[in-house]
Every structure is written in structure tokens, then in C-alpha cells.
Amino acid sequence: MTVTYLQEDAGGRTATNSKGIRTYTRVFLFETDSQADDAWEVGSHPDAPRIGQAFRDAWCVSVTPSCIEPWKGWSITAEYSSELELSEDPTQDPMQIRVYTEQFQKPAVYNKDDQLIVNSAGDPYDPPAMMDDSRRVLSLSRKVPSCPSWVLDYQDAVNSDTFDALGVTYAVGTGKVQSVSLGVAENRNGVTFHTLEILIHLQRSGWILKTLDAGFRERDLSGDLVNILNAGDGERVSAPVPLNGSGAALANPSLTNNVLRSDVVYDTLPFSVLFT
């Protein structure tokens, strides 16, 4: 049960160029001395083309063994494409990066200048109106031998460093890991791998949580918490009252003097590990 490589069939070469993507076809001839040999033995020959093997400016994407004589003669047709760079070892494939936009709706609490949206009496709308919003999403996809050890550490993590993707540098605090997915086990050339995809949500204003400093109580001059009362009737307020950032109610709340509190709610980690 011996499979012998003969030569490349020079007459089987073809090529195309479609919108800059080059494809090539090559045919390789083999011979076997046993009728028991089939496509697996022929395709596994060390001289057979392999998925990810480089040829000119392309990489092998498919291999098709075919019996061309009653049983002794075999050919392997290999297809190559320049569309996507591959490696014989799938874990060495280059990372694939793409950017797209995710659209959603959110409560319209603040205007474009971070000022509270209020009615003519100065109270926030309850409930607030809804508005369209969008954010950019960065998708990182690569082949890995197993689940990365950092997968739990990076749950909802925000970048503590700058990072580059597709020629753009993203500032500290603008990216957050949205999801990590690991595909089923696959095999290429005897190497088992999984496709890992990381989605990073990008937000130009960052991921610091900003909330209006407001409530039903305030601190008096002694520092004690007391209920806020309406100036007109002395009754407890029925809606949160803007505070001044130090625990006291604002005497005359306006669009320009409302105080926003900023809180760090996500862990920060370097994103460089996600690109390696």
C-alpha cells in the first residue's frame, strides 16, 4: 500500500483575476500500488498540497483527490486564492479585524452638551423620551488551540492602554470587551483549533458612568440627612431634586448648573493581549 508522487500536471494549470483577487488551480499526479488505497491515503501523502500552503501571492483553500485510472492513477486538484492569508498551521493565521456599527435606542436624559433635559418647570421628564444612538464595534477573529486563560479576567474590561486597529489609535478608556466567543473544534492539516472572536464596543465619550446628582434628601449644615421640602407648600418633594455635588439641594437648578457624578464601574486592563 504505497502511494508515490509523480509530478505536477503542467497542463492542468489555470488562473483567474477577479476584482484583484487572484485564484490558481494546480493538478498533481500520484500513483498507488494497491486497490485498497483511497482518497485519504493519496491526500495524506507528504508531497500532497496542504490547506494554507503558499503559492505565489495566494494560499491553498481546497484539495480534491480523484482517481483518474481504474485504481492506480490519482490526481489532486488544488485551488489557491489570494483573498485571505492562511497558514498550514491554522493557529498561525493572521488575525482578521473588521469594524461595524451597532444601532440601538436609549433614554434621552442629557442633551449633546451633557446638560439635563427638563420640562419648562425644570423637572426631568418621567419617563424620559427615547432617542437613537449607535456605537462602533471592533471584531477580532483568530484561530487558537484552546480557550484563552484570560477569558474571565476580561469580562466587560475597559482598555487601560492605547491600542491600534486598522490604522486607527484608540485612546485609553474608549473600548470595552462586549463578548468573547469560542467556536467548535476544527482541524486543519492535523492541527486542532477553535475560532476565537472578541467584540470590543467603542465609545468616544468613554465608559465612565455619569449620573445626575439628585435625590429626595440632602445634608443640612450639621451633615445630617433630611428630607427635601417644597418651598411653596413645605411638603416632601415628589421627584428627585438636583444636588450641588456636596449633598445640598440646588436652590435654582438650571441646564448649566446641574452636577453630574462620574463613577468607574468597569475594571481596566491592557488590550495588547487581545491582539497577540
Side-chain angles (χ1 to χ4, degrees):
M1 298 178 62
T2 302
V3 177
T4 303
Y5 171 62
L6 301 178
Q7 63 184 12
E8 181 179 352
D9 180 5
R13 299 169 182 168
T14 63
T16 61
N17 187 332
S18 178
K19 297 180 180 179
I21 297 176
R22 298 179 183 271
T23 59
Y24 305 90
T25 299
R26 302 171 70 194
V27 179
F28 302 86
L29 302 178
F30 293 80
E31 186 177 84
T32 179
D33 63 0
S34 172
Q35 295 187 49
D37 288 334
D38 59 18
W40 190 90
E41 280 81 15
V42 177
S44 300
H45 191 278
D47 290 322
R50 297 164 64 86
I51 300 297
Q53 192 173 56
F55 175 69
R56 298 187 182 275
D57 57 350
W59 294 268
C60 184
V61 294
S62 72
V63 173
T64 306
S66 303
C67 186
I68 56 176
E69 292 182 13
W71 58 266
K72 190 174 184 179
W74 285 79
S75 69
I76 295 181
T77 301
E79 304 287 345
Y80 301 81
S81 173
S82 66
E83 182 173 14
L84 190 66
E85 183 178 349
L86 298 174
S87 298
E88 293 186 45
D89 179 350
T91 63
Q92 299 303 310
D93 285 357
M95 173 179 284
Q96 301 301 314
I97 303 176
R98 64 190 182 99
V99 177
Y100 60 94
T101 297
E102 185 179 82
Q103 189 80 23
F104 58 96
Q105 283 205 322
K106 70 177 185 180
V109 179
Y110 308 106
N111 64 20
K112 66 180 182 66
D113 298 317
D114 267 348
Q115 296 171 343
L116 187 68
I117 298 174
V118 296
N119 60 23
S120 58
D123 287 333
Y125 291 96
D126 185 17
M130 301 299 291
M131 61 179 286
D132 284 342
D133 202 356
S134 64
R135 63 169 60 102
R136 307 298 178 259
V137 181
L138 193 64
S139 169
L140 313 179
S141 179
R142 59 189 173 97
K143 309 294 191 302
V144 295
S146 60
C147 186
S149 60
W150 48 257
V151 67
L152 288 180
D153 296 334
Y154 276 78
Q155 178 178 325
D156 291 307
V158 171
N159 63 305
S160 62
D161 54 356
T162 59
F163 64 93
D164 297 319
L166 300 178
V168 178
T169 299
Y170 294 95
V172 172
T174 56
K176 182 175 79 68
V177 174
Q178 169 64 14
S179 67
V180 177
S181 59
L182 195 71
V184 298
E186 300 178 70
N187 190 285
R188 182 197 301 171
N189 301 325
V191 179
T192 299
F193 66 94
H194 303 262
T195 298
L196 173 72
E197 183 179 29
I198 305 166
L199 296 184
I200 299 174
H201 278 189
L202 302 168
Q203 193 156 267
R204 60 186 176 186
S205 60
W207 294 93
I208 301 296
L209 181 63
K210 294 183 178 181
T211 51
L212 176 68
D213 189 17
F216 294 90
R217 299 190 296 171
E218 65 175 337
R219 292 195 179 274
D220 62 17
L221 296 178
S222 300
D224 296 326
L225 279 174
V226 296
N227 293 317
I228 300 175
L229 305 179
N230 287 319
D233 56 18
E235 296 293 329
R236 292 183 182 179
V237 295
S238 58
V241 173
L243 304 176
N244 65 359
S246 299
L250 284 174
N252 295 293
S254 69
L255 292 178
T256 57
N257 67 1
N258 283 300
V259 176
L260 296 180
R261 297 184 62 84
S262 298
D263 294 285
V264 176
V265 294
Y266 299 111
D267 289 332
T268 58
L269 290 169
F271 274 22
S272 55
V273 66
L274 305 181
F275 291 83
T276 59

